[in-house]
């Protein structure tokens, strides 16, 4: 089961509304997540299978090329156990039919619909009908308390569980 370290931060309930009340929310701890390249994934796959890194890397690069070709043709790609990839487009509405042309398309998006077997579930909530819980979230200040720390904020400035850190919290944009 994967464990994700999260931190608490304070923000407006409606971010763009200055009159909105302040609320606490959670976000993954900065620097915890990594970006894996095809080669890094290929090394992971090599450790659990009989294929070499070069073989896996070649297959994955070929998969990406083939997937692009299928998606550009307007089709969907279903990867069993992962989900469905598909494209959508953005086009503003116009009043006259003759004004609705392909030049009206402002953006093409790649979308992904997750397969039910891949859905991630929080271990601290009840098991869902979709499958077993497969993620554990650990609040950073809880980790410090268990280790005998002061239970303070991630920067060591004090503020504990009850939010006595003078209303300051890490900026979610960082």
């Amino acid at each position: 089961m994967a464990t994700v370290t999260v931190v608490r931060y304070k923000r407006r309930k409606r971010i763009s509304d200055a009159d909105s009340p302040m609320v606490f929310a959670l976000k993954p701890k900065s620097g915890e997540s990594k970006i894996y390249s095809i080669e890094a994934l290929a090394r992971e796959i090599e450790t659990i299978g009989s294929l070499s890194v070069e073989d896996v890397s070649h297959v994955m690069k070929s998969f990406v090329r083939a997937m692009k070709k299928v998606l550009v043709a307007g089709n969907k790609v279903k990867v069993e156990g992962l989900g469905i990839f598909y494209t959508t487009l953005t086009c503003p509405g116009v009043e006259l039919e003759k004004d609705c042309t392909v030049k009206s398309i402002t953006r093409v998006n790649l979308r992904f619909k997750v397969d039910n077997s891949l859905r991630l579930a929080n271990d601290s909530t009840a098991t869902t009908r979709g499958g077993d819980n497969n993620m554990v979230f650990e609040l950073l200040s809880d980790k410090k308390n268990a280790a005998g720390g002061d239970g303070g904020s991630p920067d060591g400035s004090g503020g504990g569980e009850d939010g006595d850190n003078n209303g300051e919290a890490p900026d979610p944009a960082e």
Side-chain angles (χ1 to χ4, degrees), residues 5 29 138-159 161:
T5 305
K29 182 179 175 228
E138 185 175 84
L139 190 59
L140 184 62
S141 58
D142 286 345
K143 186 194 282 185
K144 279 190 173 184
N145 284 340
D150 64 353
S153 64
D155 62 3
S157 63
E161 293 296 309

Side-chain angles (χ1 to χ4, degrees), residues 89-110:
L89 56 93
T90 303
C91 179
V94 292
E95 292 184 17
L96 299 175
E97 182 179 355
K98 69 179 178 112
D99 293 336
C100 186
T101 65
V102 293
K103 290 184 179 182
S104 302
I105 298 171
T106 57
R107 183 176 22 204
V108 178
N109 303 301
L110 176 61

Side-chain angles (χ1 to χ4, degrees), residues 12-158:
R12 300 236 173 251
K13 187 170 186 177
R14 280 182 236 101
I15 295 172
S16 61
D17 182 2
D19 295 329
S20 180
M22 297 299 282
V23 295
F24 286 96
L26 298 173
K27 68 175 182 173
K29 182 179 175 228
S30 299
E32 291 282 314
S33 62
K34 301 172 186 139
I35 298 175
Y36 278 73
S37 65
I38 287 179
E39 280 69 30
L41 281 174
R43 284 192 295 276
E44 290 283 327
I45 293 170
E46 181 187 41
T47 63
I48 59 173
S50 61
L51 296 172
S52 69
V53 170
E54 294 79 16
D55 291 339
V56 174
S57 179
H58 178 73
V59 168
M60 291 174 74
K61 287 176 183 176
S62 296
F63 172 76
V64 170
R65 282 192 303 273
M67 191 168 151
K68 282 182 186 177
K69 185 177 179 182
V70 169
L71 290 169
V72 166
N75 298 309
K76 297 178 181 181
V77 176
K78 181 175 183 175
V79 180
E80 290 295 328
L82 186 61
I84 300 171
F85 294 87
Y86 60 98
T87 57
T88 61
L89 56 93
T90 303
C91 179
V94 292
E95 292 184 17
L96 299 175
E97 182 179 355
K98 69 179 178 112
D99 293 336
C100 186
T101 65
V102 293
K103 290 184 179 182
S104 302
I105 298 171
T106 57
R107 183 176 22 204
V108 178
N109 303 301
L110 176 61
R111 303 289 188 197
F112 174 72
K113 183 175 188 276
V114 69
D115 187 87
N116 283 338
S117 66
L118 182 67
R119 290 197 190 276
L120 302 177
N122 184 358
D123 188 49
S124 64
T125 60
T127 302
T128 62
R129 290 185 299 171
D132 293 334
N133 296 329
N134 52 11
M135 291 189 79
V136 175
F137 293 95
E138 185 175 84
L139 190 59
L140 184 62
S141 58
D142 286 345
K143 186 194 282 185
K144 279 190 173 184
N145 284 340
D150 64 353
S153 64
D155 62 3
S157 63

